[in-house]
Every structure is written in structure tokens, then in C-alpha cells.
Amino acid sequence: ASDMSETVNKVNVVFGDASESVIAFAKDAAKSLGMSREQALSAAGTFGNLFTSMGLGKKESAKLSTNLVKLAADLGSFNNMDPTVVLDKLRAGLTGETEPLKALGIALNQDKIEAKALEMGLMELGGELTSAAKIQATYALIVEGTTNAHGDFIETAGGLANSTKIIQGQIKDLAADMGEQLLPIALKVVTRVGDMVSKFSEMDASGQKAILVVAGLAAAMGPLLTVTGKLIPLLPTIISFLASPAGLIIGGVALL
């Protein structure tokens, strides 16, 4: 739940007014992508941060980011790969590392990227390829080079592999929903512990030593009380054994 809260905050900052469409996209991510809401939002936020840093608008970044998250789910299903691994490879490809894309059946190089940028009108012949133009051209080539995988997750959602991903995503969503109800309580506990730590650090050395001694005694008494508690029901049996001939013999040997 805490991770979910932080991720939603990141999405709001990265996409601004376009964040609502990204949050709506991730709402049913477990069924449609085999990811939890937090995983889908986190991936989209990471892509969006990359796109916006290279000059793309927030609305366009939101569209490209959600498309890439969906593509990662399809490629993971098509290639029997973990979607998080696919996301890492796609992110690497967008930043210029074309080698990881080969594992997904995508072969890119600078010439292809420049040719695509010219085709899309993102640069002029002989002109400079900007970062924004390069990432858009790379994205287009990735989408074009993975047509066989498009829609594969939904088409094979009934299989064991994707059914398992769906259940795992739903369980994580359930945990986040339950945790959201506990966040206020957890915050109070953390705040109280923080106050206690602050007060401890403000004490003089003798006061800190006294508390540590008491804490050490309490820690030592725990196991002792546990052992004692287990021994008490056995005392009649132990006494009977010590009074028996065998117990007397063992006791005599021990004394020797």
C-alpha cells in the first residue's frame, strides 16, 4: 500500500493532467496485463519520466508509456518471459541500447532509426536527430517489429502461465487495498517509535545505559520464561523419575 501511494504520486508528477488516463489504464491491469496496479503504474511512470525528460509532452508521454506497458505484457506472454524483464529491455532500447531488444526479435541500428525519423517527419534530410525525434522513431520501430506479439496476452489469458500472472496481480492488488486501510495505523506506530527514538537520543549517557540494561534483562527473561513455562507441567514426571532407582543411579553418577 505504501509503494502504491508513492507510485501514484510519481505518476501524478510525471504526467500532470494526463495522469488520470494512466491511473484508469492500470485499474484492471491484473486481468488485462497480468500485472498489479502498482507494477503497471510504476512501469508507466518510469517510461513517462524518460519521455518527458527528452522533450515530449505529458499527454503524448502518457499515451506512449501505457502502450509500452501493454506491449511488455504481450511480449512477455509471446516469448514466455517475465514482463519486468521485457520492460527493462524496452527501456534499454529506447535509451539507445539496441542489443537487449534482440532477445525480443527486434533489430535496430542508427540508420534504421534515422530513416524512420525522416519518414515520420521528425527530422529533415541531413538535419540533426534530436533526442525527442530519436525516441519517437525508436518507439515506432519497436511497435512495428513486434506485430506478431500484439494482443497475445489476452488471446492466451486462459493458459496456465497467464492465468498465474493474473492471480498474482490480483493478490498484490488485494494486499494493497487491505494495506491502505492499515496505513493510518502504521503511520501512527512509526511516528510513535520515532518520538521514542528522539527522546532516547536526547537522554544523557546514564539514562540511556539504564534503559539498555532493562531492555537487555527483558530480552533475556523472554526465553527463560518460555523454557520455565514448558518445564512446569513436566515437574511431576521429573520428580517421579528422580525418585526412581534409575534416577537415583544417574544422580549418583552425576555427583561423582
Side-chain angles (χ1 to χ4, degrees):
S2 178
D3 290 343
M4 183 68 176
S5 177
E6 293 294 326
T7 300
V8 169
N9 180 65
K10 177 182 178 180
V11 167
N12 287 330
V13 172
V14 171
F15 298 111
D17 293 338
S19 62
E20 289 185 8
S21 63
V22 179
I23 293 173
F25 161 80
K27 183 177 180 180
D28 296 320
K31 289 184 178 180
S32 61
L33 306 173
M35 303 180 192
S36 67
R37 291 194 304 272
E38 194 276 328
Q39 286 176 312
L41 287 174
S42 179
T46 299
F47 281 127
N49 195 40
L50 176 62
F51 288 135
T52 54
S53 68
M54 292 190 174
L56 272 67
K58 293 183 182 296
K59 186 175 182 180
E60 181 67 12
S61 296
K63 178 182 177 181
L64 298 184
S65 297
T66 52
N67 286 346
L68 279 171
V69 175
K70 184 178 184 301
L71 179 60
D74 287 335
L75 287 170
S77 173
F78 188 74
N79 295 291
N80 194 28
M81 296 175 65
D82 187 328
T84 57
V85 174
V86 177
L87 287 166
D88 287 339
K89 293 183 182 298
L90 291 175
R91 185 164 53 249
L94 289 169
T95 56
E97 299 177 40
T98 57
E99 190 65 27
L101 293 177
K102 292 181 180 179
L104 304 175
I106 307 168
L108 297 184
N109 56 46
Q110 187 66 19
D111 291 339
K112 287 185 177 181
I113 295 172
E114 290 185 1
K116 190 63 181 177
L118 283 169
E119 178 188 327
M120 297 173 67
L122 300 172
M123 66 175 290
E124 297 180 357
L125 186 62
E128 182 182 355
L129 181 65
T130 64
S131 297
K134 182 176 182 179
I135 200 168
Q136 290 180 80
T138 302
Y139 166 84
L141 289 171
I142 288 174
V143 172
E144 291 176 2
T146 57
T147 53
N148 289 337
H150 293 179
D152 190 81
F153 183 85
I154 294 298
E155 291 176 3
T156 59
L160 179 60
N162 286 345
S163 293
T164 301
K165 293 177 183 177
I166 290 172
I167 292 173
Q168 290 174 337
Q170 290 174 329
I171 290 174
K172 290 178 181 178
D173 286 344
L174 178 60
D177 291 339
M178 294 174 64
E180 187 175 359
Q181 305 302 317
L182 298 174
L183 277 178
I185 299 174
L187 181 59
K188 289 181 180 179
V189 172
V190 171
T191 302
R192 181 62 62 86
V193 171
D195 291 341
M196 292 172 63
V197 171
S198 297
K199 291 179 180 178
F200 180 81
S201 62
E202 293 171 359
M203 296 177 67
D204 57 30
S206 59
Q208 291 179 347
K209 184 176 180 180
I211 290 177
L212 290 175
V213 169
V214 172
L217 289 173
M221 286 296 292
L224 179 60
L225 290 174
T226 300
V227 173
T228 304
K230 291 181 179 179
L231 286 177
I232 288 174
L234 298 176
L235 281 177
T237 303
I238 295 173
I239 293 172
S240 298
F241 173 76
L242 292 175
S244 66
L248 293 173
I249 293 172
I250 293 174
V253 172
L255 290 173
L256 293 173

